[in-house]
């Protein structure tokens, strides 16, 4: 029975020009045919016939868009036509329910899932902010923070403990954060030497800057903490 109704609808002709349907009625009729294959004839003097899939019928602009490309062809060729220029239109075939040109249905919004995503994002941002704050020393000065930043890049897990820098869970660096200020247990002398070398290098870079006034690295042999 449904197929019978579809077949009856297909093939009907409307004439929106004066003496036929008013333009608003034509728009409403065309709006119900979006996704269907239609044939339209435009008014003289440039009267033409176009056949294709009706993409949209806009009641705001009083325009329709029709894709005249064959179904087998990739891509689309759209023609935009003012409804006032349409002499007549005919529904050639209605859109199938699974047609690619049919208007998609709007899915139900999963509010619970959106809430979970929001909470996860907030948690992630809080973790990033906490990590950022942990990377900032308090009352350590610009030089101390620069030394910390350089060490943190080389040694993951570098952290502040009050105003002291802890590297590799073994080396402690107190202010003013020079190589000689690095201390470590006797069994961690290898790690101590490595950290001192990095601090020394960073201090030299800082001292080489134009107009820099920094605590320079000590000269001479160093012994363990």
């Amino acid at each position: 029975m449904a197929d019978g109704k579809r077949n009856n609808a297909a093939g009907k002709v409307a004439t929106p020009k004066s003496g036929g349907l008013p333009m608003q009625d034509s728009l409403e009729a065309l709006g119900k045919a979006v996704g269907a294959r239609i044939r339209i004839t435009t008014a003289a003097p440039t009267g033409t016939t176009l056949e294709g899939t009706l993409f949209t019928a806009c009641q705001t602009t009083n325009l329709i868009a029709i894709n005249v490309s064959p179904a087998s062809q990739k891509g689309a060729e759209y023609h935009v036509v003012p409804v006032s220029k349409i002499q007549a239109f005919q529904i050639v075939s209605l859109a199938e329910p699974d047609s690619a040109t049919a208007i998609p249905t709007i899915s139900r919004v999963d509010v619970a899932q959106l809430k979970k995503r929001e909470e996860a994002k907030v948690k992630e941002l809080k973790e990033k902010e906490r990590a950022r704050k942990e990377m900032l020393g308090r009352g350590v000065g610009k030089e101390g923070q620069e030394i910390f930043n350089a060490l943190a890049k080389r040694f993951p897990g570098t952290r502040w403990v009050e105003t002291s820098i802890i590297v590799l869970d073994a080396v402690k660096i107190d202010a003013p954060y020079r190589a000689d200020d690095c201390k470590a247990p006797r069994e961690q002398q290898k790690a101590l030497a490595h950290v001192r070398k990095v601090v020394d290098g960073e201090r030299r870079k800082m001292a080489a800057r134009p107009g820099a006034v920094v605590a320079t690295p000590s000269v001479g042999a160093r012994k363990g903490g």
Side-chain angles (χ1 to χ4, degrees), residues 153-177:
K153 289 180 181 179
R154 296 287 295 273
F155 308 106
T158 298
R159 66 184 188 279
W160 286 104
V161 175
E162 296 182 352
T163 58
S164 298
I165 302 173
I166 305 299
V167 187
L168 299 172
D169 288 326
V171 182
K172 180 181 179 183
I173 312 173
D174 294 319
Y177 313 107

Side-chain angles (χ1 to χ4, degrees), residues 122-132:
V122 170
K123 183 179 179 181
E124 178 187 346
L125 292 174
K126 286 183 177 179
E127 286 294 325
K128 286 183 178 179
E129 179 64 15
R130 181 184 62 79
R132 186 188 69 82

Side-chain angles (χ1 to χ4, degrees), residues 159 164-173 181-185 188-196 199:
R159 66 184 188 279
S164 298
I165 302 173
I166 305 299
V167 187
L168 299 172
D169 288 326
V171 182
K172 180 181 179 183
I173 312 173
D181 300 312
C182 301
K183 310 296 179 184
Q188 296 290 347
Q189 293 306 295
K190 187 175 181 179
L192 177 62
H194 194 181
V195 172
R196 277 178 169 169
V199 173

Side-chain angles (χ1 to χ4, degrees), residues 29-129:
L30 284 164
K32 295 176 183 178
V34 170
R37 190 163 187 82
I38 67 170
R39 183 182 298 117
I40 64 171
T41 302
T42 60
T46 59
T48 56
T49 298
L50 297 172
E51 182 175 326
T53 303
L54 181 61
F55 180 73
T56 187
C58 179
Q59 296 192 26
T60 302
T61 59
N62 294 327
L63 298 171
I64 70 165
I66 180 172
N67 176 17
V68 298
S69 298
S72 59
Q73 178 180 316
K74 290 185 178 180
E77 181 184 348
Y78 291 99
H79 287 254
V80 177
V81 182
V83 174
S84 60
K85 298 294 184 182
I86 298 175
Q87 178 76 27
F89 69 86
Q90 178 182 3
I91 300 174
V92 178
S93 61
L94 297 177
E96 295 297 328
D98 59 348
S99 171
T101 57
I103 300 175
T105 57
I106 300 176
S107 302
R108 182 178 65 86
V109 176
D110 191 337
V111 178
Q113 185 63 26
L114 289 177
K115 186 67 175 176
K116 286 182 181 179
R117 289 173 60 185
E118 178 187 6
E119 291 173 353
K121 189 63 177 179
V122 170
K123 183 179 179 181
E124 178 187 346
L125 292 174
K126 286 183 177 179
E127 286 294 325
K128 286 183 178 179
E129 179 64 15

Side-chain angles (χ1 to χ4, degrees), residues 190-207:
K190 187 175 181 179
L192 177 62
H194 194 181
V195 172
R196 277 178 169 169
K197 184 177 180 180
V198 174
V199 173
D200 231 354
E202 289 302 318
R203 280 288 178 185
R204 293 182 190 279
K205 289 179 185 178
M206 293 163 65

